[in-house]
PDB file of all heavy atoms in Angstrom:
ATOM      1  N   MET A 191     -14.142   4.429  -9.173  1.00 92.00           N
ATOM      2  CA  MET A 191     -15.465   3.833  -9.400  1.00 92.00           C
ATOM      3  C   MET A 191     -15.553   2.452  -8.743  1.00 92.00           C
ATOM      4  O   MET A 191     -16.069   1.489  -9.321  1.00 92.00           O
ATOM      5  CB  MET A 191     -15.763   3.750 -10.900  1.00 92.00           C
ATOM      6  CG  MET A 191     -15.899   5.121 -11.547  1.00 92.00           C
ATOM      7  SD  MET A 191     -16.405   5.066 -13.274  1.00 92.00           S
ATOM      8  CE  MET A 191     -14.955   4.319 -14.024  1.00 92.00           C
ATOM      9  N   GLY A 192     -15.005   2.349  -7.537  1.00 91.00           N
ATOM     10  CA  GLY A 192     -15.093   1.122  -6.769  1.00 91.00           C
ATOM     11  C   GLY A 192     -14.029   0.091  -7.072  1.00 91.00           C
ATOM     12  O   GLY A 192     -13.918  -0.918  -6.362  1.00 91.00           O
ATOM     13  N   GLU A 193     -13.239   0.307  -8.119  1.00 92.00           N
ATOM     14  CA  GLU A 193     -12.192  -0.657  -8.490  1.00 92.00           C
ATOM     15  C   GLU A 193     -10.894  -0.318  -7.763  1.00 92.00           C
ATOM     16  O   GLU A 193     -10.417   0.822  -7.847  1.00 92.00           O
ATOM     17  CB  GLU A 193     -11.937  -0.618 -10.003  1.00 92.00           C
ATOM     18  CG  GLU A 193     -10.815  -1.550 -10.442  1.00 92.00           C
ATOM     19  CD  GLU A 193     -10.411  -1.335 -11.894  1.00 92.00           C
ATOM     20  OE1 GLU A 193     -11.023  -0.473 -12.556  1.00 92.00           O
ATOM     21  OE2 GLU A 193      -9.474  -2.010 -12.346  1.00 92.00           O
ATOM     22  N   PRO A 194     -10.284  -1.279  -7.080  1.00 94.00           N
ATOM     23  CA  PRO A 194      -9.002  -0.999  -6.420  1.00 94.00           C
ATOM     24  C   PRO A 194      -7.868  -0.906  -7.431  1.00 94.00           C
ATOM     25  O   PRO A 194      -7.669  -1.821  -8.237  1.00 94.00           O
ATOM     26  CB  PRO A 194      -8.823  -2.202  -5.482  1.00 94.00           C
ATOM     27  CG  PRO A 194      -9.592  -3.314  -6.123  1.00 94.00           C
ATOM     28  CD  PRO A 194     -10.758  -2.657  -6.818  1.00 94.00           C
ATOM     29  N   LEU A 195      -7.165   0.214  -7.391  1.00 95.00           N
ATOM     30  CA  LEU A 195      -6.015   0.421  -8.280  1.00 95.00           C
ATOM     31  C   LEU A 195      -4.692   0.171  -7.565  1.00 95.00           C
ATOM     32  O   LEU A 195      -3.745  -0.327  -8.173  1.00 95.00           O
ATOM     33  CB  LEU A 195      -6.022   1.856  -8.825  1.00 95.00           C
ATOM     34  CG  LEU A 195      -7.280   2.330  -9.550  1.00 95.00           C
ATOM     35  CD1 LEU A 195      -7.104   3.778  -9.997  1.00 95.00           C
ATOM     36  CD2 LEU A 195      -7.577   1.435 -10.755  1.00 95.00           C
ATOM     37  N   VAL A 196      -4.645   0.545  -6.301  1.00 96.00           N
ATOM     38  CA  VAL A 196      -3.408   0.471  -5.517  1.00 96.00           C
ATOM     39  C   VAL A 196      -3.766   0.105  -4.080  1.00 96.00           C
ATOM     40  O   VAL A 196      -4.787   0.554  -3.556  1.00 96.00           O
ATOM     41  CB  VAL A 196      -2.650   1.826  -5.511  1.00 96.00           C
ATOM     42  CG1 VAL A 196      -1.323   1.700  -4.772  1.00 96.00           C
ATOM     43  CG2 VAL A 196      -2.423   2.333  -6.924  1.00 96.00           C
ATOM     44  N   PHE A 197      -2.918  -0.703  -3.454  1.00 97.00           N
ATOM     45  CA  PHE A 197      -3.014  -0.958  -2.024  1.00 97.00           C
ATOM     46  C   PHE A 197      -1.658  -0.706  -1.369  1.00 97.00           C
ATOM     47  O   PHE A 197      -0.611  -1.020  -1.934  1.00 97.00           O
ATOM     48  CB  PHE A 197      -3.419  -2.413  -1.726  1.00 97.00           C
ATOM     49  CG  PHE A 197      -4.887  -2.691  -1.816  1.00 97.00           C
ATOM     50  CD1 PHE A 197      -5.376  -3.616  -2.740  1.00 97.00           C
ATOM     51  CD2 PHE A 197      -5.781  -2.064  -0.968  1.00 97.00           C
ATOM     52  CE1 PHE A 197      -6.724  -3.894  -2.815  1.00 97.00           C
ATOM     53  CE2 PHE A 197      -7.140  -2.329  -1.041  1.00 97.00           C
ATOM     54  CZ  PHE A 197      -7.613  -3.254  -1.968  1.00 97.00           C
ATOM     55  N   HIS A 198      -1.685  -0.141  -0.168  1.00 98.00           N
ATOM     56  CA  HIS A 198      -0.519  -0.036   0.707  1.00 98.00           C
ATOM     57  C   HIS A 198      -0.880  -0.631   2.055  1.00 98.00           C
ATOM     58  O   HIS A 198      -2.036  -0.587   2.470  1.00 98.00           O
ATOM     59  CB  HIS A 198      -0.112   1.430   0.942  1.00 98.00           C
ATOM     60  CG  HIS A 198       0.240   2.188  -0.284  1.00 98.00           C
ATOM     61  ND1 HIS A 198       0.170   3.567  -0.353  1.00 98.00           N
ATOM     62  CD2 HIS A 198       0.680   1.775  -1.503  1.00 98.00           C
ATOM     63  CE1 HIS A 198       0.546   3.973  -1.547  1.00 98.00           C
ATOM     64  NE2 HIS A 198       0.849   2.905  -2.271  1.00 98.00           N
ATOM     65  N   SER A 199       0.114  -1.169   2.746  1.00 98.00           N
ATOM     66  CA  SER A 199      -0.083  -1.523   4.154  1.00 98.00           C
ATOM     67  C   SER A 199       1.065  -0.946   4.960  1.00 98.00           C
ATOM     68  O   SER A 199       2.183  -0.764   4.449  1.00 98.00           O
ATOM     69  CB  SER A 199      -0.176  -3.037   4.350  1.00 98.00           C
ATOM     70  OG  SER A 199       1.072  -3.665   4.124  1.00 98.00           O
ATOM     71  N   TYR A 200       0.772  -0.640   6.228  1.00 98.00           N
ATOM     72  CA  TYR A 200       1.753  -0.012   7.118  1.00 98.00           C
ATOM     73  C   TYR A 200       1.734  -0.691   8.475  1.00 98.00           C
ATOM     74  O   TYR A 200       0.665  -1.054   8.989  1.00 98.00           O
ATOM     75  CB  TYR A 200       1.430   1.474   7.326  1.00 98.00           C
ATOM     76  CG  TYR A 200       1.570   2.307   6.084  1.00 98.00           C
ATOM     77  CD1 TYR A 200       0.491   2.475   5.217  1.00 98.00           C
ATOM     78  CD2 TYR A 200       2.783   2.920   5.771  1.00 98.00           C
ATOM     79  CE1 TYR A 200       0.612   3.239   4.068  1.00 98.00           C
ATOM     80  CE2 TYR A 200       2.908   3.691   4.617  1.00 98.00           C
ATOM     81  CZ  TYR A 200       1.831   3.835   3.770  1.00 98.00           C
ATOM     82  OH  TYR A 200       1.960   4.586   2.626  1.00 98.00           O
ATOM     83  N   ILE A 201       2.925  -0.844   9.059  1.00 98.00           N
ATOM     84  CA  ILE A 201       3.050  -1.177  10.467  1.00 98.00           C
ATOM     85  C   ILE A 201       3.211   0.153  11.204  1.00 98.00           C
ATOM     86  O   ILE A 201       4.035   0.982  10.803  1.00 98.00           O
ATOM     87  CB  ILE A 201       4.269  -2.083  10.733  1.00 98.00           C
ATOM     88  CG1 ILE A 201       4.193  -3.339   9.859  1.00 98.00           C
ATOM     89  CG2 ILE A 201       4.337  -2.446  12.211  1.00 98.00           C
ATOM     90  CD1 ILE A 201       3.002  -4.211  10.089  1.00 98.00           C
ATOM     91  N   PHE A 202       2.432   0.370  12.260  1.00 97.00           N
ATOM     92  CA  PHE A 202       2.511   1.661  12.933  1.00 97.00           C
ATOM     93  C   PHE A 202       2.545   1.491  14.450  1.00 97.00           C
ATOM     94  O   PHE A 202       1.985   0.539  15.008  1.00 97.00           O
ATOM     95  CB  PHE A 202       1.334   2.566  12.531  1.00 97.00           C
ATOM     96  CG  PHE A 202      -0.010   2.082  12.979  1.00 97.00           C
ATOM     97  CD1 PHE A 202      -0.554   2.501  14.186  1.00 97.00           C
ATOM     98  CD2 PHE A 202      -0.754   1.200  12.193  1.00 97.00           C
ATOM     99  CE1 PHE A 202      -1.801   2.062  14.601  1.00 97.00           C
ATOM    100  CE2 PHE A 202      -2.001   0.746  12.601  1.00 97.00           C
ATOM    101  CZ  PHE A 202      -2.528   1.187  13.810  1.00 97.00           C
ATOM    102  N   GLY A 203       3.251   2.417  15.085  1.00 95.00           N
ATOM    103  CA  GLY A 203       3.297   2.492  16.535  1.00 95.00           C
ATOM    104  C   GLY A 203       2.728   3.813  16.996  1.00 95.00           C
ATOM    105  O   GLY A 203       1.941   4.453  16.288  1.00 95.00           O
ATOM    106  N   GLU A 204       3.164   4.273  18.152  1.00 93.00           N
ATOM    107  CA  GLU A 204       2.621   5.506  18.716  1.00 93.00           C
ATOM    108  C   GLU A 204       3.062   6.738  17.939  1.00 93.00           C
ATOM    109  O   GLU A 204       2.267   7.659  17.710  1.00 93.00           O
ATOM    110  CB  GLU A 204       3.049   5.642  20.178  1.00 93.00           C
ATOM    111  CG  GLU A 204       2.440   6.850  20.882  1.00 93.00           C
ATOM    112  CD  GLU A 204       2.832   6.931  22.336  1.00 93.00           C
ATOM    113  OE1 GLU A 204       3.498   5.989  22.837  1.00 93.00           O
ATOM    114  OE2 GLU A 204       2.477   7.932  22.982  1.00 93.00           O
ATOM    115  N   LYS A 205       4.330   6.765  17.502  1.00 95.00           N
ATOM    116  CA  LYS A 205       4.869   7.955  16.848  1.00 95.00           C
ATOM    117  C   LYS A 205       5.514   7.679  15.487  1.00 95.00           C
ATOM    118  O   LYS A 205       5.912   8.608  14.803  1.00 95.00           O
ATOM    119  CB  LYS A 205       5.912   8.621  17.750  1.00 95.00           C
ATOM    120  CG  LYS A 205       5.346   9.142  19.070  1.00 95.00           C
ATOM    121  CD  LYS A 205       4.299  10.225  18.850  1.00 95.00           C
ATOM    122  CE  LYS A 205       3.741  10.734  20.172  1.00 95.00           C
ATOM    123  NZ  LYS A 205       2.668  11.746  19.963  1.00 95.00           N
ATOM    124  N   ARG A 206       5.635   6.405  15.097  1.00 97.00           N
ATOM    125  CA  ARG A 206       6.293   6.075  13.839  1.00 97.00           C
ATOM    126  C   ARG A 206       5.489   5.044  13.056  1.00 97.00           C
ATOM    127  O   ARG A 206       4.772   4.234  13.630  1.00 97.00           O
ATOM    128  CB  ARG A 206       7.704   5.529  14.103  1.00 97.00           C
ATOM    129  CG  ARG A 206       8.681   6.603  14.551  1.00 97.00           C
ATOM    130  CD  ARG A 206      10.082   6.025  14.697  1.00 97.00           C
ATOM    131  NE  ARG A 206      10.200   5.211  15.901  1.00 97.00           N
ATOM    132  CZ  ARG A 206      11.287   4.504  16.225  1.00 97.00           C
ATOM    133  NH1 ARG A 206      12.329   4.501  15.405  1.00 97.00           N
ATOM    134  NH2 ARG A 206      11.324   3.807  17.345  1.00 97.00           N
ATOM    135  N   CYS A 207       5.646   5.091  11.745  1.00 98.00           N
ATOM    136  CA  CYS A 207       5.041   4.078  10.887  1.00 98.00           C
ATOM    137  C   CYS A 207       6.046   3.697   9.804  1.00 98.00           C
ATOM    138  O   CYS A 207       6.966   4.450   9.487  1.00 98.00           O
ATOM    139  CB  CYS A 207       3.739   4.573  10.259  1.00 98.00           C
ATOM    140  SG  CYS A 207       3.952   5.904   9.050  1.00 98.00           S
ATOM    141  N   ARG A 208       5.858   2.494   9.253  1.00 98.00           N
ATOM    142  CA  ARG A 208       6.756   2.016   8.205  1.00 98.00           C
ATOM    143  C   ARG A 208       5.934   1.339   7.123  1.00 98.00           C
ATOM    144  O   ARG A 208       5.077   0.500   7.412  1.00 98.00           O
ATOM    145  CB  ARG A 208       7.780   1.037   8.772  1.00 98.00           C
ATOM    146  CG  ARG A 208       8.792   0.559   7.733  1.00 98.00           C
ATOM    147  CD  ARG A 208       9.841  -0.357   8.355  1.00 98.00           C
ATOM    148  NE  ARG A 208      10.812  -0.789   7.367  1.00 98.00           N
ATOM    149  CZ  ARG A 208      11.811  -1.650   7.630  1.00 98.00           C
ATOM    150  NH1 ARG A 208      11.955  -2.141   8.850  1.00 98.00           N
ATOM    151  NH2 ARG A 208      12.646  -2.011   6.683  1.00 98.00           N
ATOM    152  N   LEU A 209       6.184   1.723   5.872  1.00 98.00           N
ATOM    153  CA  LEU A 209       5.535   1.065   4.736  1.00 98.00           C
ATOM    154  C   LEU A 209       5.902  -0.413   4.751  1.00 98.00           C
ATOM    155  O   LEU A 209       7.079  -0.779   4.788  1.00 98.00           O
ATOM    156  CB  LEU A 209       5.980   1.725   3.431  1.00 98.00           C
ATOM    157  CG  LEU A 209       5.417   1.126   2.143  1.00 98.00           C
ATOM    158  CD1 LEU A 209       3.902   1.270   2.084  1.00 98.00           C
ATOM    159  CD2 LEU A 209       6.066   1.804   0.929  1.00 98.00           C
ATOM    160  N   PHE A 210       4.900  -1.268   4.709  1.00 97.00           N
ATOM    161  CA  PHE A 210       5.103  -2.709   4.824  1.00 97.00           C
ATOM    162  C   PHE A 210       4.943  -3.397   3.472  1.00 97.00           C
ATOM    163  O   PHE A 210       5.781  -4.199   3.059  1.00 97.00           O
ATOM    164  CB  PHE A 210       4.110  -3.251   5.851  1.00 97.00           C
ATOM    165  CG  PHE A 210       4.279  -4.692   6.201  1.00 97.00           C
ATOM    166  CD1 PHE A 210       5.511  -5.217   6.544  1.00 97.00           C
ATOM    167  CD2 PHE A 210       3.168  -5.542   6.213  1.00 97.00           C
ATOM    168  CE1 PHE A 210       5.656  -6.552   6.889  1.00 97.00           C
ATOM    169  CE2 PHE A 210       3.303  -6.871   6.564  1.00 97.00           C
ATOM    170  CZ  PHE A 210       4.544  -7.387   6.897  1.00 97.00           C
ATOM    171  N   GLN A 211       3.850  -3.083   2.759  1.00 95.00           N
ATOM    172  CA  GLN A 211       3.571  -3.697   1.456  1.00 95.00           C
ATOM    173  C   GLN A 211       2.978  -2.641   0.520  1.00 95.00           C
ATOM    174  O   GLN A 211       2.302  -1.720   0.970  1.00 95.00           O
ATOM    175  CB  GLN A 211       2.569  -4.848   1.605  1.00 95.00           C
ATOM    176  CG  GLN A 211       3.020  -5.957   2.522  1.00 95.00           C
ATOM    177  CD  GLN A 211       1.852  -6.784   3.014  1.00 95.00           C
ATOM    178  OE1 GLN A 211       0.779  -6.256   3.311  1.00 95.00           O
ATOM    179  NE2 GLN A 211       2.045  -8.087   3.117  1.00 95.00           N
ATOM    180  N   SER A 212       3.224  -2.820  -0.767  1.00 94.00           N
ATOM    181  CA  SER A 212       2.655  -1.913  -1.762  1.00 94.00           C
ATOM    182  C   SER A 212       2.445  -2.694  -3.054  1.00 94.00           C
ATOM    183  O   SER A 212       3.313  -3.463  -3.465  1.00 94.00           O
ATOM    184  CB  SER A 212       3.584  -0.722  -2.003  1.00 94.00           C
ATOM    185  OG  SER A 212       3.072   0.130  -3.013  1.00 94.00           O
ATOM    186  N   CYS A 213       1.292  -2.493  -3.685  1.00 93.00           N
ATOM    187  CA  CYS A 213       1.041  -3.174  -4.959  1.00 93.00           C
ATOM    188  C   CYS A 213       0.053  -2.359  -5.781  1.00 93.00           C
ATOM    189  O   CYS A 213      -0.737  -1.577  -5.256  1.00 93.00           O
ATOM    190  CB  CYS A 213       0.508  -4.584  -4.725  1.00 93.00           C
ATOM    191  SG  CYS A 213      -0.993  -4.672  -3.728  1.00 93.00           S
ATOM    192  N   SER A 214       0.118  -2.552  -7.099  1.00 91.00           N
ATOM    193  CA  SER A 214      -0.768  -1.831  -8.015  1.00 91.00           C
ATOM    194  C   SER A 214      -1.141  -2.736  -9.178  1.00 91.00           C
ATOM    195  O   SER A 214      -0.536  -3.779  -9.396  1.00 91.00           O
ATOM    196  CB  SER A 214      -0.096  -0.549  -8.508  1.00 91.00           C
ATOM    197  OG  SER A 214       1.192  -0.826  -9.024  1.00 91.00           O
ATOM    198  N   SER A 215      -2.137  -2.300  -9.965  1.00 85.00           N
ATOM    199  CA  SER A 215      -2.802  -3.210 -10.900  1.00 85.00           C
ATOM    200  C   SER A 215      -2.485  -2.989 -12.368  1.00 85.00           C
ATOM    201  O   SER A 215      -3.144  -3.560 -13.216  1.00 85.00           O
ATOM    202  CB  SER A 215      -4.323  -3.084 -10.715  1.00 85.00           C
ATOM    203  OG  SER A 215      -4.762  -1.799 -11.128  1.00 85.00           O
ATOM    204  N   PHE A 216      -1.457  -2.196 -12.689  1.00 65.00           N
ATOM    205  CA  PHE A 216      -1.338  -1.730 -14.065  1.00 65.00           C
ATOM    206  C   PHE A 216      -0.414  -2.538 -14.969  1.00 65.00           C
ATOM    207  O   PHE A 216      -0.160  -2.154 -16.107  1.00 65.00           O
ATOM    208  CB  PHE A 216      -0.871  -0.270 -14.084  1.00 65.00           C
ATOM    209  CG  PHE A 216       0.501  -0.053 -13.491  1.00 65.00           C
ATOM    210  CD1 PHE A 216       1.635  -0.166 -14.260  1.00 65.00           C
ATOM    211  CD2 PHE A 216       0.645   0.289 -12.155  1.00 65.00           C
ATOM    212  CE1 PHE A 216       2.887   0.056 -13.708  1.00 65.00           C
ATOM    213  CE2 PHE A 216       1.889   0.512 -11.598  1.00 65.00           C
ATOM    214  CZ  PHE A 216       3.018   0.397 -12.377  1.00 65.00           C
ATOM    215  N   ARG A 217       0.105  -3.645 -14.574  1.00 59.00           N
ATOM    216  CA  ARG A 217       1.199  -4.270 -15.312  1.00 59.00           C
ATOM    217  C   ARG A 217       0.846  -4.670 -16.739  1.00 59.00           C
ATOM    218  O   ARG A 217       1.636  -4.502 -17.643  1.00 59.00           O
ATOM    219  CB  ARG A 217       1.707  -5.489 -14.534  1.00 59.00           C
ATOM    220  CG  ARG A 217       2.187  -5.148 -13.124  1.00 59.00           C
ATOM    221  CD  ARG A 217       3.340  -4.167 -13.129  1.00 59.00           C
ATOM    222  NE  ARG A 217       3.404  -3.427 -11.872  1.00 59.00           N
ATOM    223  CZ  ARG A 217       4.273  -2.470 -11.633  1.00 59.00           C
ATOM    224  NH1 ARG A 217       5.135  -2.099 -12.548  1.00 59.00           N
ATOM    225  NH2 ARG A 217       4.261  -1.837 -10.480  1.00 59.00           N
ATOM    226  N   ASP A 218      -0.341  -5.240 -16.953  1.00 62.00           N
ATOM    227  CA  ASP A 218      -0.684  -5.762 -18.281  1.00 62.00           C
ATOM    228  C   ASP A 218      -1.605  -4.835 -19.080  1.00 62.00           C
ATOM    229  O   ASP A 218      -2.108  -5.224 -20.128  1.00 62.00           O
ATOM    230  CB  ASP A 218      -1.372  -7.129 -18.142  1.00 62.00           C
ATOM    231  CG  ASP A 218      -0.371  -8.233 -17.835  1.00 62.00           C
ATOM    232  OD1 ASP A 218       0.808  -8.059 -18.160  1.00 62.00           O
ATOM    233  OD2 ASP A 218      -0.781  -9.255 -17.252  1.00 62.00           O
ATOM    234  N   GLU A 219      -1.798  -3.611 -18.589  1.00 67.00           N
ATOM    235  CA  GLU A 219      -2.778  -2.734 -19.216  1.00 67.00           C
ATOM    236  C   GLU A 219      -2.117  -1.763 -20.208  1.00 67.00           C
ATOM    237  O   GLU A 219      -0.902  -1.702 -20.343  1.00 67.00           O
ATOM    238  CB  GLU A 219      -3.529  -1.945 -18.138  1.00 67.00           C
ATOM    239  CG  GLU A 219      -4.204  -2.816 -17.090  1.00 67.00           C
ATOM    240  CD  GLU A 219      -5.335  -3.649 -17.657  1.00 67.00           C
ATOM    241  OE1 GLU A 219      -5.859  -3.282 -18.733  1.00 67.00           O
ATOM    242  OE2 GLU A 219      -5.708  -4.658 -17.041  1.00 67.00           O
TER     243      GLU A 219
END
């Protein structure tokens, strides 16, 4: 419903990608 729950970021090239960052919002809930 428009609220961000999780974000990922990736570094990517022509044939490979690597997870760079990951975060989520559930710690205090």
